[in-house]
Amino acid sequence: MNRINKIATFIILCTGIVGCSSDSANSTIETHASTINQEVNNILKVGVDLKFPPFSYIDDKGSPAGFEVDIAKAFGEYLNMEVEIVNTDFSLLIPALEMGDVDVLIADMAKTEEREQKVDFSVPYRYGSTFALVNKDFAIKNNITNNMPEDEFFAIEDANFIGLAGTKSVYYPQSKGIEVTEITDIGTGIVEISQGLSDILLTSNANSFHAADPENTIVYSGILDQDASNFAVRKGDNDMLNKSNEFINSMYEDGGLYDQIAEKYDPIIAKFFFNEDLGLSYIINPRN
């Protein structure tokens, strides 16, 4: 009996004869069912939110593109599998993974205690600074510049913070005792900041959002905290977790993926951060 038939037999026994009902049994069934799908179809379904250029977006031909997408395709090659990019809103990525709609998340997701209860995280594959997109009138009124200390910035009275649900733009201000209005679409937040309906939005993509409306926004870069981003896999899917870690480690080796794509992404990263001295190494290596 081959491996797929063994797994299928296990599922039939567990659901039809034994009548497993525990959460752990259900999780095992979902993981094995996903494994069967991967082996039969040889397709790796990768969850990505394609609203964050230049890291993940839809290009002018209507195809997924960007840094995360290139990594996903390389991961598929590493596993000798075809890759299907599943465009999913960031707030729905973990539910999609839990339901088996995708096999792995490569979506600039930081590890948090709350998320760790639902999924398993790989070693980091990139690092990101946190910036604030600020309404320009609000910034002028409160004398906000990059020289303003972080504690002073978060102590501004009557600041209306808005943040993307499930992301650092919500939980980081909340960690400082700030009330944050949660949204599920980043476009809504950008419009609200531009129009002055909200004052501050924390996001790693503040520079590109500011470039879209430099007349009504500024970027505050005085936030010192740095996040590590990881692949996320289903809870208990040790096979996918181990493969993810092996692949990420290989990317950092001499001649690995990061060396191969540096020429492509050095100018892209420099343009994104409006700093010609920055390149790919700025987002893939931790800073002390």
Side-chain angles (χ1 to χ4, degrees), residues 83-159:
V83 170
E84 178 183 340
I85 300 297
V86 182
N87 187 15
T88 307
D89 188 83
F90 193 91
S91 63
L92 299 177
L93 283 168
I94 288 180
L97 183 63
E98 291 178 307
M99 292 297 292
D101 295 331
V102 297
D103 305 307
V104 60
L105 306 180
I106 305 179
D108 189 22
M109 183 171 287
K111 178 168 62 176
T112 67
E113 290 184 6
E114 181 179 358
R115 290 171 182 164
E116 277 193 297
Q117 295 176 8
K118 300 177 180 179
V119 301
D120 289 333
F121 285 100
S122 71
V123 297
Y125 72 96
R126 65 174 278 199
Y127 297 83
S129 298
T130 302
F131 304 97
L133 185 70
V134 184
N135 175 267
K136 181 175 285 188
D137 290 340
F138 179 83
I140 293 173
K141 177 182 176 181
N142 291 277
N143 300 313
I144 296 174
T145 69
N146 287 327
N147 294 323
M148 175 181 282
E150 179 179 341
D151 289 345
E152 185 177 333
F153 175 78
F154 285 106
I156 296 174
E157 294 184 0
D158 300 324

Side-chain angles (χ1 to χ4, degrees), residues 5-6 30 36 66 109-110 118 179 181-182 206 219 245 276:
N5 289 334
K6 286 181 180 178
E30 290 173 0
I36 291 173
M109 183 171 287
K118 300 177 180 179
E179 184 175 338
T181 300
E182 297 188 34
V219 175
N245 287 334
E276 294 182 356

Side-chain angles (χ1 to χ4, degrees), residues 51-52 89 133 160-165 169 181-201 203 209 213 217:
K51 294 195 296 288
F52 300 96
D89 188 83
L133 185 70
N160 185 0
F161 279 76
I162 193 169
L164 186 64
S169 62
T181 300
E182 297 188 34
I183 55 174
T184 57
D185 175 55
I186 192 65
T188 299
I190 298 169
V191 170
E192 289 210 10
I193 297 298
S194 293
Q195 295 182 351
L197 302 175
S198 296
D199 303 317
I200 299 172
L201 168 68
T203 170
F209 297 154
D213 186 9
T217 64

